[in-house]
Amino acid sequence: MTTSRAAWTPRAGGTLAGTALAGTGELTRLAVRRDRIALPVAVYVIVALVAGTAYSFRKLYPTEAGRAAVAATGESNPALRFLYGRLDGDSLGSLTTWRYGIWAAIFTALLAIFVVVRHTRADEEAGRLELLGSAAVGRDAPLTAGLLPAAAASLVIAGLLCLVLPLAHLPAAGSAALALGIGGCGLVFTGITAVAAQVASTARGARGMALGTLGAAFALRGVGDAAGPGGLSWLSWASPLGWVQLARPFAAERWWVLGLPLAVFAAGVALAFRLAAHRDHGAGLLPDRPGRPAASRWLSGPSGLAWRLQRGALAGWAFGFAATFAASGAAAKGIGQLFGTSSALQRAFTRIGGQTAIVNAYLAGLMLLAGMVAAAFATSAVLRLRAEETSGRAEPVLATAASRVRWGLSHLAVAAGGSALLLAVAGLATGLGYGLRTGSPGPEVARMLGAAMAQLPATLLVAGVAVVLVGWWPGGAVAGAWTAVGAVVVISLFGAALQLSHWGLDISPFTHVPKLPGGPVTVTPLLWLSLAALALAAAGLAGLRRRDIG
């Protein structure tokens, strides 16, 4: 039955008492408290990424000739335009906007998506909003409290960038245009996700809709920018991500473009509130699709159920891998010209890639990135065990003849098989993208496929840490597993630049993986990494078998 706006009587007192927004302040403070660690960290990373890029470009390209060469290379390479967008000039501000303007907007949008879903549809699905609704909370208070942290985070990112970028000696006007474009993209997807939370009946469905919209926005912007001045360049205007660069920061700013994200945000929020008033609590506007009256034989055991639960996420990851690494591989053909303008950038990539040939170092760096991102997927797949446990869905499975070890192995199989699939997609896409540009797709595909699969033992070792935590320290499994992933990324990408000791670098399993393509192939470290991953998985399953569930 549809709940009216006046059905929940608010607590007496306060300026919003007796209205549909009663209790908004309390719920907002609760949401901020729940995200008191994740939100500041995410805001800091996004701001530091953009500001650090502006500072590093000043060091990497100190001369106007060097910046002009980078701009010419970026504009002449369609793959680079697809990944990073178009360039408006060769100033430090223009290069900063080109390199991380769109990607900072993507990260801000992702932050907004996860925050809004967490405090709206996910809480409603878990029953927390129903509990709150029995108290003095207005009908619109939960949705408002879910939107405010995401919108505030986007505005804080914009405000900090307005303050920090001029400290890197960038013009204040261009800094404001770039900052407002990035923050505006976060606001757009705050509104879009609010609508998705009303349409979908589950948190996963709402996230899927919002992430699908973000992926479509990236594709539209990428195709439009890669097309150049003519052809399908108008597609960039159809994407909120394209508005970041179409505002032309640091190059005769178009301030009116920054009104577009505000309009979309306002329309999305208004639509979300209207939809929320016409749906049942706990349900979405899209009805749940009824399943078949009898489960297939494939769903008769935990393995089939684990695959069914995670296949959608794996498909999304695979699509993202294919698009990103195909474009990145195609960009390798002109990477020598781009890096040749900066000896410091050449040294940075050869340090990551582990070799002196710049193209091979770039491709090896891509495979390292593929391994680390695949490790993130494997970690999330393993942590699905903990999510099933805390939601109570594990108990019906374990009430059957399925043992705990078999249940755990079903999700570990998805993690291992899924990460292997993602690495294969990364290798094939990179080899195909680079091979089509050089005219030899066959040999390049085979070479890059082998380079990608060499990352698998290190990827599985990172996931093994999550297995141990789920088995022996379930309460800290989520935080501990993602901390391990973050530590591996920092050590692998920045360890040498931070001048970590040999022992510090060896903490990351990716340090021991052969730097392929181009580097020597050594099998022994891969065997040791594989054995260590198996040992961690066995230890984690042993803990899962011994401890209490729930």
Side-chain angles (χ1 to χ4, degrees):
M1 180 176 67
T2 303
T3 307
S4 66
R5 291 176 178 267
W8 295 340
T9 305
R11 182 181 304 164
T15 57
L16 298 178
T19 71
L21 295 174
T24 299
E26 289 80 0
L27 292 183
T28 302
R29 285 191 290 271
L30 175 62
V32 172
R33 179 176 176 80
R34 291 171 62 192
D35 289 338
R36 64 187 181 277
I37 297 176
L39 270 181
V41 170
V43 169
Y44 170 79
V45 169
I46 294 172
V47 173
L49 182 69
V50 180
T53 300
Y55 177 80
S56 63
F57 272 8
R58 179 172 294 277
K59 300 293 184 181
L60 294 172
Y61 305 108
T63 64
E64 185 176 350
R67 294 192 295 270
V70 173
T73 302
E75 274 296 295
S76 63
N77 192 323
L80 289 176
R81 291 202 304 269
F82 181 88
L83 284 174
Y84 305 123
R86 289 175 285 193
L87 269 158
D88 293 313
D90 55 11
S91 66
L92 286 173
S94 297
L95 292 179
T96 301
T97 303
W98 171 70
R99 184 61 183 86
Y100 271 122
I102 288 173
W103 286 97
I106 290 174
F107 297 149
T108 306
L110 288 173
L111 175 63
I113 289 171
F114 285 104
V115 169
V116 172
V117 172
R118 171 180 169 84
H119 297 299
T120 55
R121 175 52 65 182
D123 279 351
E124 190 170 340
E125 185 179 3
R128 286 186 286 269
L129 290 188
E130 185 176 7
L131 179 63
L132 293 170
S134 63
V137 175
R139 180 70 167 92
D140 292 337
L143 178 55
T144 305
L147 294 176
L148 287 177
S154 299
L155 294 176
V156 169
I157 289 172
L160 290 177
L161 286 174
C162 285
L163 295 175
V164 172
L165 290 179
L167 298 178
H169 305 288
L170 296 183
S175 299
L178 175 59
L180 293 175
I182 292 171
C185 194
L187 291 178
V188 167
F189 282 91
T190 297
I192 289 174
T193 309
V195 174
Q198 311 312 312
V199 174
S201 59
T202 63
R204 176 176 294 185
R207 275 193 298 268
M209 289 182 182
L211 292 174
T213 305
L214 179 59
F218 180 83
L220 286 173
R221 196 272 326 149
V223 172
D225 287 348
L232 298 174
S233 60
W234 58 269
L235 288 175
S236 299
W237 284 99
S239 169
L241 296 175
W243 299 339
V244 178
Q245 291 182 325
L246 289 170
R248 294 177 61 88
F250 308 102
E253 291 81 6
R254 296 172 177 155
W255 296 104
W256 64 268
V257 175
L258 299 175
L260 297 177
L262 294 178
V264 175
F265 169 68
V269 170
L271 179 59
F273 277 106
R274 186 171 183 84
L275 295 178
H278 291 84
R279 68 174 180 87
D280 292 339
H281 182 78
L285 293 177
L286 290 180
D288 292 332
R289 186 177 61 180
R292 288 182 291 184
S296 64
R297 292 182 59 186
W298 178 247
L299 286 176
S300 60
S303 298
L305 178 61
W307 167 250
R308 178 69 174 268
L309 290 173
Q310 304 210 49
R311 65 183 183 182
L314 179 59
W317 283 75
F319 177 80
F321 263 57
T324 302
F325 285 97
S328 300
K333 187 175 186 298
I335 211 68
Q337 298 174 351
L338 179 64
F339 291 164
T341 60
S342 171
S343 58
L345 197 57
Q346 277 191 341
R347 290 194 299 270
F349 256 90
T350 53
R351 184 168 56 239
I352 294 174
Q355 47 202 296
T356 56
I358 190 62
V359 174
N360 281 340
Y362 170 77
L363 294 174
L366 284 181
M367 294 303 97
L368 172 63
L369 179 63
M372 291 187 292
V373 179
F377 164 79
T379 298
S380 68
V382 170
L383 292 177
R384 187 60 190 260
L385 283 168
R386 182 58 182 165
E388 293 293 297
E389 182 182 353
T390 55
S391 65
R393 292 189 291 266
E395 293 182 4
V397 177
L398 296 176
T400 65
S403 65
R404 295 186 184 190
V405 172
R406 185 183 173 193
W407 172 63
L409 282 173
S410 65
H411 287 273
L412 299 193
V414 175
S419 56
L421 174 64
L422 293 178
L423 288 172
V425 169
L428 291 172
T430 303
L432 188 61
Y434 181 52
L436 290 176
R437 293 293 305 277
T438 59
S440 56
E444 292 300 335
V445 165
R447 189 168 74 117
M448 295 311 303
L449 180 60
M453 299 311 296
Q455 307 289 328
L456 183 59
T459 297
L460 297 181
L461 182 57
V462 175
V465 175
V467 180
V468 171
L469 292 173
V470 169
W472 292 97
W473 190 31
V478 175
W482 288 115
T483 299
V485 173
V488 166
V489 171
V490 171
I491 293 172
S492 300
L493 293 182
F494 307 110
L498 295 174
Q499 297 182 345
L500 295 181
S501 66
H502 176 72
W503 294 102
L505 294 174
D506 285 344
I507 293 175
S508 171
F510 292 98
T511 302
H512 309 281
V513 175
K515 306 299 182 183
L516 301 175
V521 179
T522 51
V523 179
T524 302
L526 299 180
L527 292 176
W528 281 111
L529 290 173
S530 300
L531 291 174
L534 288 174
L536 289 176
L541 290 174
L544 183 64
R545 185 173 180 269
R546 294 171 59 89
R547 69 172 176 84
D548 294 336
I549 294 294

